[in-house]
């Protein structure tokens, strides 16, 4: 095989962007088919994509067509696990959009299916290719920061207007999307939070506000506090209703702190580790000497969806290690599920979460929903610049 034939399920906002990437920007990849249940979207594909790209109205038709080697699933969130499982059963390589799903119970079933398959399975965590976060992970893994004491992420630059939520009837509903800012905007940050530090919390206490800034039924403002096994603590603050927003990730360790903000990575490096300074210093007031180090980062490439597409294609063709294995999608989803469950039960949630209990609460939200919102089904949104 010298070419990977891709099919895309779901040619909405992200699906269309991926289609053009596969047509023009990914060596070794070829877009050969698309699939969507919407006749209007298939009509768009007929008008905008090359004539050789086949069009299907059901996933089963696509899977059995013999026209693809790999499938990229860019559908609403609930559909990711069942479609991935079926694709794997048909012997196809699978790349899913984020998040991995809506609830961990379904995602674990998907992971089990992938474990029983010899096909490649990836997730569109394109921010893992961002040089800032790659360097951050490298610094922490090398021990430069020492033992982690605190993690703080303020990610409030996800501003979304009411018109955004009204662009699709499924958006910002428990039945259609399965959540709000945690499930739509924040999957990358929730993944990077644990991926860069190498740490998952042991318990979570979260406060979610539902429809605080917009006419929606899901959360648009979240503050979550976490505790780690080594005694470290963390804070995750996010919203879609503030402008201007902030994106600042700060990690404190025995040897100082690292800050990722405004496209830069700054290491406030202690000349003497804090525990050593504290054990030997006798001067009363005082603190360790600190050097402000601007860490050089190659910003010429990275953070792109094309980076994940290239890596996934090379994994199939040349067995290149996956940057974002699909099985790891359950980690960030575990964090968001824990935050929801904590807010719903007004209590701490221990990790690993009770997957059945979370599913029960979520389905209760779906069953009891009486929320109605205006949905203006217009042209696809421009996703340029989104993650």
């Amino acid at each position: 095989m010298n070419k990977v034939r891709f099919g895309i399920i779901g040619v909405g906002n992200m699906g269309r962007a991926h289609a053009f990437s596969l047509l023009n920007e990914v060596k070794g990849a070829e877009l050969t088919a698309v699939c969507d249940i919407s006749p209007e979207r298939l009509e768009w594909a007929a008008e905008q994509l090359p004539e050789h790209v086949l069009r299907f109205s059901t996933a089963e038709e696509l899977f059995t067509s013999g026209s693809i080697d790999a499938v990229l699933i860019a559908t609403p969130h609930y559909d990711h696990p069942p479609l991935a499982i079926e694709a794997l059963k048909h012997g196809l390589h699978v790349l899913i959009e984020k998040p991995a799903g809506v609830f961990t119970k379904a995602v674990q079933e998907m992971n089990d299916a992938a474990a029983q398959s010899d096909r490649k399975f990836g997730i569109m965590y394109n921010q893992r290719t961002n040089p800032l976060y790659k360097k951050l992970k490298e610094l922490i893994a090398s021990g430069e920061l020492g033992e982690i004491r605190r993690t703080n992420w303020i990610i409030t630059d996800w501003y979304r207007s009411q018109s955004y939520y009204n662009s699709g009837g499924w958006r910002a509903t428990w039945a259609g999307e399965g959540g709000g800012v945690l499930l739509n905007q924040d999957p990358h940050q929730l993944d990077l939070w644990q991926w860069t530090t190498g740490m998952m919390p042991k318990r979570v206490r979260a406060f979610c506000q539902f429809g605080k800034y917009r006419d929606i039924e899901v959360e648009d403002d979240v503050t979550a506090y976490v505790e780690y096994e080594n005694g470290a603590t963390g804070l995750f603050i996010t919203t879609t209703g503030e402008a201007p927003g902030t994106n600042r990730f700060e990690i404190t360790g025995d040897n100082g702190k690292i800050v990722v903000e405004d496209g830069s990575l700054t290491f406030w490096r202690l000349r003497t580790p804090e525990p050593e300074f504290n054990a030997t210093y006798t001067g009363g007031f005082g603190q360790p000497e600190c050097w402000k180090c601007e860490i050089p980062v190659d910003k010429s490439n990275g953070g792109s969806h094309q980076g994940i597409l290239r890596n996934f294609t090379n994994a199939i063709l040349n067995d290149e290690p996956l940057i974002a294995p699909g099985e790891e999608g359950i980690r960030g989803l575990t964090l968001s599920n824990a935050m929801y469950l904590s807010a719903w039960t007004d209590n701490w949630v221990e990790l690993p979460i009770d997957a059945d209990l979370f599913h029960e609460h979520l389905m209760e939200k779906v069953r009891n929903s009486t929320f109605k919102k205006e949905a203006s089904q217009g042209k696809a949104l421009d996703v340029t610049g989104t993650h």
Side-chain angles (χ1 to χ4, degrees):
M1 182 189 295
N2 57 14
K3 283 272 188 181
V4 178
R5 300 173 302 161
F6 275 88
I8 298 176
I9 303 181
V11 282
N13 299 327
M14 287 310 308
R16 296 181 187 189
H18 293 321
F20 290 123
S21 293
L22 289 169
L23 284 170
N24 304 310
E25 302 179 45
V26 183
K27 183 179 179 181
E30 180 182 13
L31 180 65
T32 55
V34 295
C35 173
D36 205 296
I37 60 174
S38 165
E40 291 78 16
R41 289 179 177 175
L42 290 180
E43 183 178 340
W44 171 90
E47 294 174 352
Q48 300 295 325
L49 301 178
E51 190 175 332
H52 74 267
V53 178
L54 302 177
R55 301 180 300 280
F56 299 94
S57 58
T58 70
E60 182 65 21
E61 290 174 334
L62 173 66
F63 294 158
T64 59
S65 67
S67 63
I68 63 172
D69 308 302
V71 62
L72 196 168
I73 299 171
T75 60
H77 309 149
Y78 278 101
D79 295 334
H80 293 179
L83 286 172
I85 291 170
E86 284 304 308
L88 290 165
K89 287 180 179 177
H90 281 86
L92 298 170
H93 303 282
V94 176
L95 178 61
I96 58 172
E97 255 295 347
K98 56 84 181 171
V102 175
F103 51 96
T104 59
K105 187 175 182 179
V107 172
Q108 186 58 59
E109 292 173 358
M110 175 175 64
N111 286 355
D112 292 343
Q116 295 167 13
S117 169
D118 63 351
R119 303 290 86 180
K120 300 296 182 183
F121 175 44
I123 186 168
M124 189 56 76
Y125 278 152
N126 56 286
Q127 287 302 300
R128 289 192 181 191
T129 71
N130 187 318
L132 286 168
Y133 299 113
K134 288 169 66 178
K135 180 64 73 172
L136 173 61
K137 179 178 175 63
E138 176 189 321
L139 284 171
I140 292 174
S142 71
E144 282 288 331
L145 187 60
E147 184 171 13
I148 291 177
R149 296 181 168 195
R150 190 184 308 279
T151 67
N152 290 324
W153 204 328
I154 302 174
I155 174 68
T156 58
D157 62 348
W158 289 126
Y159 186 80
R160 295 293 187 270
S161 66
Q162 188 66 47
S163 63
Y164 165 83
Y165 291 113
N166 291 349
S167 68
W170 66 283
R171 287 191 184 279
T173 63
W174 294 118
E177 194 164 20
V181 62
L182 290 174
L183 209 62
N184 188 321
Q185 284 76 39
D186 282 321
H188 289 301
Q189 283 68 40
L190 292 172
D191 173 63
L192 292 170
W193 195 17
Q194 58 80 30
W195 182 69
T196 57
T197 61
M199 298 167 58
M200 283 285 284
K202 67 175 183 178
R203 66 175 190 161
V204 175
R205 184 69 174 95
F207 303 88
C208 300
Q209 304 211 34
F210 304 93
K212 179 179 182 180
Y213 296 111
R214 302 291 179 260
D215 186 20
I216 56 177
E217 68 176 350
V218 296
E219 86 291 348
D220 57 2
D221 188 273
V222 178
T223 299
Y225 170 82
V226 303
E227 294 180 349
Y228 298 96
E229 197 65 47
N230 73 339
T233 60
L235 197 63
F236 191 86
I237 299 172
T238 189
T239 183
T240 56
E242 293 180 4
T246 298
N247 185 354
R248 178 184 173 94
F249 186 21
E250 181 175 310
I251 310 95
T252 302
D254 287 347
N255 297 336
K257 71 177 179 182
I258 300 176
V259 177
V260 181
E261 187 175 25
D262 296 332
S264 298
L265 194 155
T266 305
F267 189 178
W268 301 82
R269 183 71 156 85
L270 300 182
R271 189 173 184 186
T272 304
E274 191 281 330
E276 180 183 336
F277 179 87
N278 183 58
T280 58
Y281 183 68
T282 59
F285 288 104
Q287 57 182 305
E289 182 180 340
C290 182
W291 301 342
K292 181 181 179 182
C293 306
E294 299 292 346
I295 306 299
V297 175
D298 179 9
K299 301 176 184 177
S300 61
N301 187 29
S304 68
H305 298 98
Q306 292 89 346
I308 293 295
L309 286 170
R310 293 188 190 103
N311 169 247
F312 189 71
T313 299
N314 290 335
I316 296 171
L317 294 176
N318 307 311
D319 205 29
E320 181 178 298
L322 287 171
I323 294 171
E327 293 86 350
E328 295 182 8
I330 199 168
R331 297 176 187 171
L333 186 66
T334 294
L335 293 174
S336 61
N337 278 191
M339 291 177 192
Y340 286 130
L341 192 56
S342 175
W344 292 337
T345 60
D346 193 21
N347 206 347
W348 286 94
V349 170
E350 306 283 336
L351 270 63
I353 67 167
D354 184 332
D356 288 324
L357 179 62
F358 175 82
H359 185 248
E360 289 173 12
H361 276 272
L362 176 63
M363 291 300 102
E364 182 180 4
K365 293 288 182 186
V366 172
R367 286 192 304 270
N368 294 338
S369 174
T370 58
F371 184 81
K372 304 292 182 185
K373 73 179 176 75
E374 294 294 327
S376 53
Q377 299 284 0
K379 64 180 182 179
L381 296 174
D382 182 5
V383 296
T384 304
T386 65
H387 299 316

